Amino acid sequence: MNHPFKIVAILLGMFALSSCYYDNEEELYPNTNVPCDSVVVSFKTDVDPILQNYCVGCHNANNPGGGYIYDTYADTKNSVDDGTLLGVTNHYTGFSSMPKGGSKLPSCELGKIRNWINEGALNN
């Protein structure tokens, strides 16, 4: 009769240990209250880092996915001029949504791209 008691005691012990759980709110939910400055944007400090993070892995000189390259300002400007950069990043109808297989870029980053284009897509 001792045997079932041991099994129950072991199961209760395992349950008690597995219920100990610690979450760090700052790690789970990074500070989303950081203001997004999408008004004053430049290619070098704002847009290029976004492209490097989301686009250059598949759209570079060695692998020009879909014929588009985002390694340099000049290559990026081609995509701006034909409307592709804005269309693919915003998932507009008629454009292949990018990043491929991924979700839409965060609204702050989309705002930076959009405002940079609206300001003339300068090489700044």
Side-chain angles (χ1 to χ4, degrees):
M1 290 233 191
N2 250 351
H3 192 278
F5 178 73
K6 286 181 183 179
I7 292 174
V8 170
I10 290 171
L11 290 174
L12 285 174
M14 289 173 49
F15 176 74
L17 290 175
S18 68
S19 66
C20 295
Y21 188 73
Y22 173 75
D23 279 331
N24 182 337
E25 184 176 355
E26 290 178 5
E27 289 177 7
L28 288 173
Y29 309 104
N31 188 357
T32 55
N33 295 327
V34 175
C36 170
D37 183 5
S38 63
V39 176
V40 180
V41 294
S42 74
F43 177 76
K44 184 176 181 174
T45 60
D46 298 295
V47 176
D48 191 43
I50 295 168
L51 299 174
Q52 294 297 319
N53 190 32
Y54 292 100
C55 308
V56 170
C58 296
H59 300 278
N60 58 66
N62 295 326
N63 179 29
Y68 289 96
I69 301 171
Y70 295 105
D71 285 340
T72 67
Y73 167 79
D75 292 325
T76 301
K77 186 72 164 72
N78 291 330
S79 180
V80 169
D81 292 343
D82 70 9
T84 301
L85 182 60
L86 203 56
V88 299
T89 56
N90 284 283
H91 297 188
Y92 291 159
T93 302
F95 290 92
S96 184
S97 298
M98 295 289 156
K100 190 171 201 97
S103 58
K104 201 175 195 182
L105 273 61
S107 61
C108 179
E109 293 173 341
L110 290 172
K112 288 179 181 183
I113 293 170
R114 181 182 52 254
N115 289 345
W116 173 71
I117 291 171
N118 290 341
E119 292 296 318
L122 303 174
N123 187 7
N124 53 2

